Amino acid sequence: MNEIAVLGNGRVGGNLAAALTRAGHQVTVADRTQGAAADAARTAGIVINATPGAGSLERLAALRRELRGKILVDVSNATTDGPDGLPADLLYPGSSLAERLQEALPETRVVKTLNTMLFPVMTAPATLTQAPDVFLSGDDPHAKQTVRDLLTDLGWRKEWITDLGGIRTARATEAAILFVPHVIRSGGFAPFAISIAR
Ligand SMILES: NC(=O)c1ccc[n+]([C@@H]2O[C@H](COP(=O)([O-])OP(=O)(O)OC[C@H]3O[C@@H](n4cnc5c(N)ncnc54)[C@H](OP(=O)(O)O)[C@@H]3O)[C@@H](O)[C@H]2O)c1
């Protein structure tokens, strides 16, 4: 059992919080109420960022003290949006939000994962007709092992989890967001995950 703080109570945050609670973890969800994120992060060992990517760097850098020594699981995508509200471009081309977070929070172990799929897949990967992939990026092997265990709790089989390497590899998975608006326009909001066919 882990103490987990989920920042953001939207589609992703709410879904992850419910599934992790069902799996037996002690989960606190923080909405945008002043001080809620700091309170939740202070008592948790693992903090999940499920807030909009565009403001995440500023928001999480402000929690530097609360996040010291913790694992920060970043599932967000930092994009600028098009007129239709769908992601249009990367906010950090030539880098990634995860790298920027790791730079801003040197005493926190950042792990990027789950950002390459629509939110229902995060907690129900076995419902897709083909086996999906989920990727891990992060500099700390122990932190990645902890996140791997959480993924297992969410229904991810060992062979569906690919450790890409250090936090720099997050720029690959974050760039995969560029597929998303086109996949949605052609296929609607049917759940999908960006995956590697083997
Ligand atoms: N939706 C997906 O399928 C999907 C898939 C992969 C990754 N992601 C990423 O996951 C993140 C969340 O996406 P989502 O679809 O769950 O978005 P969402 O439904 O709009 O939820 C975002 C949540 O963050 C909250 N929030 C906004 N500003 C905040 C702040 N300053 N402090 C604390 N909470 C704040 C929102 O609160 P209010 O309701 O009060 O605005 C809302 O509860 C995004 O970075 C997105 O790119 C989404």
Side-chain angles (χ1 to χ4, degrees):
M1 193 274 284
N2 290 291
E3 282 195 51
I4 301 173
V6 179
L7 310 186
N9 194 15
R11 288 163 293 190
V12 173
N15 188 42
L16 286 176
L20 290 166
T21 302
R22 279 196 300 273
H25 298 285
Q26 170 109 29
V27 182
T28 308
V29 184
D31 60 18
R32 64 164 76 231
T33 310
Q34 179 80 21
D39 288 345
R42 196 172 296 122
T43 52
I46 300 171
V47 178
I48 299 178
N49 177 36
T51 64
S56 285
L57 184 57
E58 194 184 19
R59 249 190 315 279
L60 291 161
L63 298 178
R64 186 177 167 138
R65 222 170 345 128
E66 289 82 1
L67 290 170
R68 186 176 294 152
K70 311 284 175 71
I71 296 173
L72 174 62
V73 183
D74 181 37
V75 306
S76 71
N77 282 304
T79 56
T80 55
D81 294 341
D84 57 1
L86 292 174
D89 225 330
L90 301 175
L91 200 57
Y92 303 109
S95 181
S96 61
L97 172 61
E99 289 166 271
R100 300 291 291 267
L101 287 170
Q102 188 60 84
E103 281 161 24
L105 301 164
E107 293 166 293
T108 301
R109 293 167 289 161
V110 179
V111 179
K112 188 90 192 189
T113 193
L114 286 172
N115 59 315
T116 49
M117 63 199 72
L118 282 191
F119 73 95
V121 181
M122 296 177 183
T123 57
T127 57
L128 295 181
T129 53
Q130 293 148 284
D133 281 316
V134 63
F135 304 102
L136 288 169
S137 302
D139 291 338
D140 186 289
H142 298 292
K144 280 194 287 194
Q145 182 57 51
T146 300
V147 176
R148 194 183 269 275
D149 292 342
L150 289 184
L151 291 173
T152 304
D153 288 345
L154 293 174
W156 289 89
R157 288 202 212 152
K158 200 169 70 154
E159 61 272 25
W160 298 347
I161 305 173
T162 300
D163 182 349
L164 295 176
I167 199 67
R168 198 174 193 276
T169 63
R171 63 179 67 184
T173 62
E174 290 192 20
I177 189 70
L178 297 177
F179 277 97
V180 169
H182 312 301
V183 174
I184 289 173
R185 282 187 201 110
S186 68
F189 283 90
F192 67 88
I194 307 286
S195 299
I196 310 294
R198 297 179 176 90

